[in-house]
Amino acid sequence: MFRVLKLLILVLAAAPVIPAFAQAFPSRPITIVVPFSPGGATDIFARILAEKLRDTLGQAVIVENKPGAGGMLGAAAVVKAKSDGYTLLMGSPGETLINSLIYKRPLQYHAERDLVPINLVTRISNVLVANSELPVKDVSDLMAYAQKNPGNVRYGTSGVGNMQHLNGELLQMLTGTQLVPVPYKGTANMLIDVASGSVETGFVAMAGALPFIKSGRIKPLAVTSAKRASFAPDIPTISEYKPAASYDLDNWYGIFAPAGTPQDVQNRLNVVITEALHDPEIIKQMVEQGGNPSPMTQDQFRAFMQAENVKYVDIVSNAKITVD
């Protein structure tokens, strides 16, 4: 009997240990921080995902908006949170990659060091829109119009150095055509000004532009992805204009956790997010908002971000974009 008991103890000691924390995760509500105001594209996609995760995880998944400083206030809040998987960031290129390239002063955090990429949620084409009365119907017309009116064709963005700004700078780089960026503090005011003709054009996420396009107040000229978007196959790509044939600059949103989050918790989050993004209803909801659900492994997400950053470095350097 003693020998059997001793053998049982040895077997149990040799068995792989599964942390009790991981077994219990999640045992309480999870918060997804959106570093922008309610109603924007980041917020919309975070809420779609959160709703599905609630069902999968059996816990509340709360979306909390912490806007400010181009997304950096929300990102900093997540960096400072406990590394336990219960506070996550719905991140975008600005606060995770681009801002470190354009701000002269040091940021409150170092995204590569302080944030862990968990999963890419969706890629989303921005759309180049124009005032409905502007005498252009596509990018070719717009470039010709801009060449005849140098310095007088403006494009609105929702901030200096964000993806919409980079969309315009890349178009200028590839075509040699002068366009004037006009930064706004958000999407809503920019779209109002494009609709009124105060600025001629703008780059914006399709989710924000749809109400204005449907009402006829603005018109879409092209999407920023390399291929036509499934949600709007009638809208051409910028790359269909031959001088900009290499144009490909999507926006994207992904989930990040504070550095130090246990790997088994990261794995759990990656798996449940991937499952959510394969759900037909979630795909439908995201596509209707202009998204393209794109779950990845963590290694794939890291590689994706590295490839995107190469583009950002080139555009920011060429355009000499800086923020004090």
Side-chain angles (χ1 to χ4, degrees):
M1 180 67 180
F2 176 77
R3 292 179 61 187
V4 172
L5 181 61
K6 185 177 179 180
L7 181 60
L8 179 60
I9 292 171
L10 289 173
V11 169
L12 290 173
V17 177
I18 300 174
F21 178 81
Q23 288 178 312
F25 181 85
S27 60
R28 55 187 172 85
I30 293 172
T31 297
I32 298 177
V33 173
V34 170
F36 300 100
S37 300
T42 318
D43 182 67
I44 290 170
F45 288 108
R47 293 180 188 279
I48 293 173
L49 177 64
E51 188 67 32
K52 181 61 179 178
L53 292 182
R54 288 186 193 106
D55 296 338
T56 304
L57 297 172
Q59 289 289 341
V61 180
I62 301 161
V63 174
E64 183 177 352
N65 298 88
K66 286 184 177 290
M72 292 186 290
L73 289 183
V78 173
V79 165
K80 295 173 184 175
K82 190 174 181 180
S83 302
D84 55 9
Y86 287 96
T87 303
L88 306 173
L89 174 71
M90 183 66 153
S92 65
E95 69 279 3
T96 61
L97 292 173
I98 298 171
N99 288 350
S100 65
L101 304 175
I102 66 175
Y103 276 81
K104 293 181 180 179
R105 65 180 185 276
L107 305 186
Q108 298 179 41
Y109 60 91
H110 188 291
E112 187 175 357
R113 179 194 64 213
D114 298 332
L115 290 170
V116 178
I118 298 297
N119 207 331
L120 181 63
V121 174
T122 187
R123 300 182 67 170
I124 177 169
S125 296
N126 283 328
V127 58
L128 172 58
V129 297
N131 175 266
S132 58
E133 300 300 321
L134 196 71
V136 301
K137 65 180 184 299
D138 54 27
V139 175
S140 178
D141 286 350
L142 179 63
M143 295 300 97
Y145 183 85
Q147 289 165 6
K148 293 177 181 178
N149 299 274
N152 291 319
V153 176
R154 296 158 293 181
Y155 69 94
T157 74
S158 54
V160 175
N162 66 10
M163 185 57 69
Q164 292 82 17
H165 186 184
L166 267 58
N167 282 139
E169 293 294 350
L170 179 58
L171 182 57
Q172 292 188 84
M173 281 174 55
L174 296 178
T175 64
T177 304
Q178 184 184 5
L179 302 170
V180 181
V182 180
Y184 289 79
K185 290 185 177 180
T187 297
N189 288 337
M190 184 266 283
L191 285 168
I192 290 170
D193 278 1
V194 174
S196 70
S198 297
V199 294
E200 290 76 20
T201 66
F203 284 92
V204 64
M206 179 58 79
L210 276 174
F212 287 80
I213 292 173
K214 289 179 178 178
S215 69
R217 298 172 68 190
I218 62 175
K219 56 187 174 184
L221 301 183
V223 294
T224 62
S225 50
K227 297 180 179 179
R228 293 195 181 197
S230 59
F231 63 88
D234 294 335
I235 303 177
T237 65
I238 290 177
S239 62
E240 290 176 44
Y241 175 58
K242 287 187 178 179
S246 62
Y247 196 105
D248 179 15
L249 195 63
D250 280 348
N251 205 350
W252 53 264
Y253 305 111
I255 293 293
F256 296 79
T261 298
Q263 187 59 53
D264 44 11
V265 174
Q266 295 183 41
N267 294 344
R268 172 73 168 143
L269 288 167
N270 178 272
V271 167
V272 295
I273 292 169
T274 296
E275 289 175 354
L277 296 174
H278 280 103
D279 181 90
E281 181 58 29
I282 297 302
I283 293 172
K284 178 176 179 289
Q285 290 180 44
M286 289 195 173
V287 168
E288 286 174 348
Q289 296 295 332
N292 176 24
S294 306
M296 296 179 173
T297 66
Q298 285 188 274
D299 286 342
Q300 288 172 334
F301 189 18
R302 289 188 188 96
F304 169 80
M305 290 180 64
Q306 290 170 359
E308 290 294 286
N309 199 48
V310 170
K311 299 179 186 178
Y312 308 152
V313 170
D314 188 35
I315 297 169
V316 168
S317 175
N318 186 279
K320 297 180 174 60
I321 302 172
T322 58
V323 178
D324 292 327

